[in-house]
């Protein structure tokens, strides 16, 4: 089985939680892929530079200055820190962006109602490239930067990357996709950390959206998760390290 773990911004920002997440990942039997963003750190650096981050429905507006910062933060500092920490845990990690080995090709999002700037929508996953890394004994650590193969880097949602990579590799592997964030799972009541929704199917998801239970940044995460389930990925789970480890995380199915 191929396990793909996506870690969220709150995990990245908490040294103890991050250490536990990396230990969890390092314990996987090969093969495995780690996907990360780093939005909180990027937003903090942008603020220090006097450039306020702009978000709409959980998605970042990426102007030219923001693109430079997210590339430095995602593909540079965070990615290499994760690789170094995984190496310390005897996990042979290799940090990559979508441009490395042409692993993830995308195009600049077409402007409709909202101009997202240099946001990238994925066109193709280089399955052979990922498979060569996995078969070579490496655990790819993939940041949220893609490219258009015309020299332009693009900022792509890390949840989308995790889902797209999972779908692309599902033809060759039995894939399990896990989204690791700070909560035990998707919550019925945002103020009650124990109100985990154990199972969500498409009809229940529509109901949760209509009732406003699921909103903001959780929407693209769940959209991507259901896209994966509908395209050959065996299982998708959402939760924190505790619930993912004990089987109590939210499970998605058709």
């Amino acid at each position: 089985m191929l396990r793909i773990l996506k870690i969220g911004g709150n995990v990245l920002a908490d040294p103890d939680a991050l250490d536990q997440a990396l230990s969890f990942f390092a314990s996987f039997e090969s093969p495995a892929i780690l996907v990360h963003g780093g939005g909180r750190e990027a937003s903090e650096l942008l603020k220090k530079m006097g450039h306020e981050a702009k978000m709409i429905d959980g998605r970042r507006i990426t102007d030219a200055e923001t693109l430079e910062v997210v590339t430095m933060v995602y593909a540079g500092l965070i990615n290499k820190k994760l690789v170094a920490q995984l190496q310390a845990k005897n996990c042979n990690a290799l940090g990559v962006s979508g441009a490395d080995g042409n692993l993830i090709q995308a195009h600049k999002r077409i402007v409709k109602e909202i101009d997202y700037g240099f946001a990238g929508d994925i066109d193709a996953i280089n399955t052979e490239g990922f498979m060569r890394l996995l078969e070579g004994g490496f655990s790819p650590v993939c940041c949220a930067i893609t490219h258009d193969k015309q020299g332009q880097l693009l900022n792509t949602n890390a949840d989308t990357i995790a889902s797209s990579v999972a779908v692309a590799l599902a033809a060759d592997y039995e894939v399990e996709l896990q989204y690791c964030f700070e909560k035990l799972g998707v919550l019925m009541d945002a103020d009650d950390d124990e109100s985990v929704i154990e199972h969500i199917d498409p009809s229940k998801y529509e109901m949760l959206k209509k009732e406003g239970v699921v909103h903001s940044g959780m929407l693209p995460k769940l959209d991507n998760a259901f896209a994966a389930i509908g395209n050959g990925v065996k299982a998708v789970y959402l939760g924190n390290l505790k619930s993912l480890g004990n089987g109590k995380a939210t499970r998605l199915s058709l």
Side-chain angles (χ1 to χ4, degrees):
M1 176 180 287
L2 169 64
R3 300 175 80 177
I4 298 176
L5 178 67
K6 189 270 174 176
I7 53 176
N10 288 323
V11 174
L12 288 168
D14 182 334
D16 291 335
L18 178 59
D19 184 68
Q20 292 174 36
L22 296 180
S23 294
F24 180 59
F25 180 79
S27 72
F28 291 172
E29 293 183 3
S30 294
I33 297 172
L34 182 67
V35 179
H36 71 89
R40 177 181 289 189
E41 291 84 348
S43 295
E44 289 175 355
L45 182 54
L46 282 164
K47 190 173 183 179
K48 289 178 183 177
M49 297 170 64
H51 190 87
E52 201 70 29
K54 296 178 182 178
M55 306 287 289
I56 296 178
D57 291 334
R59 296 188 183 273
R60 184 182 297 275
I61 304 297
T62 307
D63 58 21
E65 184 176 6
T66 300
L67 179 64
E68 290 187 355
V69 171
V70 297
T71 301
M72 288 188 288
V73 173
Y74 298 176
L77 185 62
I78 292 178
N79 189 267
K80 298 315 167 193
K81 279 187 173 181
L82 294 178
V83 168
Q85 290 175 62
L86 283 169
Q87 291 290 353
K89 298 178 185 296
N90 296 314
C91 175
N92 197 15
L94 180 71
V96 296
S97 72
D100 295 300
N102 191 33
L103 287 174
I104 307 173
Q105 191 173 326
H107 65 271
K108 186 175 180 290
R109 184 170 301 158
I110 297 169
V111 177
K112 295 179 181 178
E113 293 86 3
I114 301 167
D115 184 355
Y116 284 97
F118 292 98
D121 288 331
I122 294 173
D123 293 320
I125 303 294
N126 182 354
T127 353
E128 183 182 353
F130 274 108
M131 289 175 67
R132 284 186 176 183
L133 293 174
L134 294 166
E135 290 166 3
F138 295 105
S139 293
V141 177
C142 192
C143 72
I145 299 295
T146 58
H147 77 133
D148 66 357
K149 217 175 184 210
Q150 302 297 317
Q152 180 63 58
L153 293 172
L154 296 165
N155 179 24
T156 296
N157 181 276
D159 293 331
T160 303
I161 287 177
S163 172
S164 299
V165 172
V167 168
L169 291 170
D172 298 284
Y173 296 90
E174 186 176 273
V175 179
E176 182 177 284
L177 175 58
Q178 300 182 0
Y179 288 101
C180 178
F181 59 119
E182 73 279 8
K183 300 295 184 180
L184 288 167
V186 181
L187 304 179
M188 181 61 73
D189 180 354
D191 296 321
D192 181 1
D193 286 343
E194 300 298 322
S195 62
V196 176
I197 304 170
E198 294 183 1
H199 175 245
I200 304 176
D201 60 20
S203 61
K204 188 167 186 176
Y205 181 37
E206 290 304 315
M207 180 193 73
L208 293 171
K209 286 193 290 185
K210 186 176 180 180
E211 294 178 353
V213 174
V214 175
H215 55 86
S216 302
M218 188 57 70
L219 289 172
K221 191 182 299 292
L222 287 172
D223 286 344
N224 284 306
F226 275 112
I229 285 288
N231 287 279
V233 174
K234 181 182 179 183
V236 178
Y237 297 92
L238 299 95
N240 63 12
L241 292 168
K242 179 181 177 181
S243 61
L244 289 171
N246 64 19
K248 299 295 184 180
T250 299
R251 177 175 61 88
L252 304 187
S253 71
L254 294 178

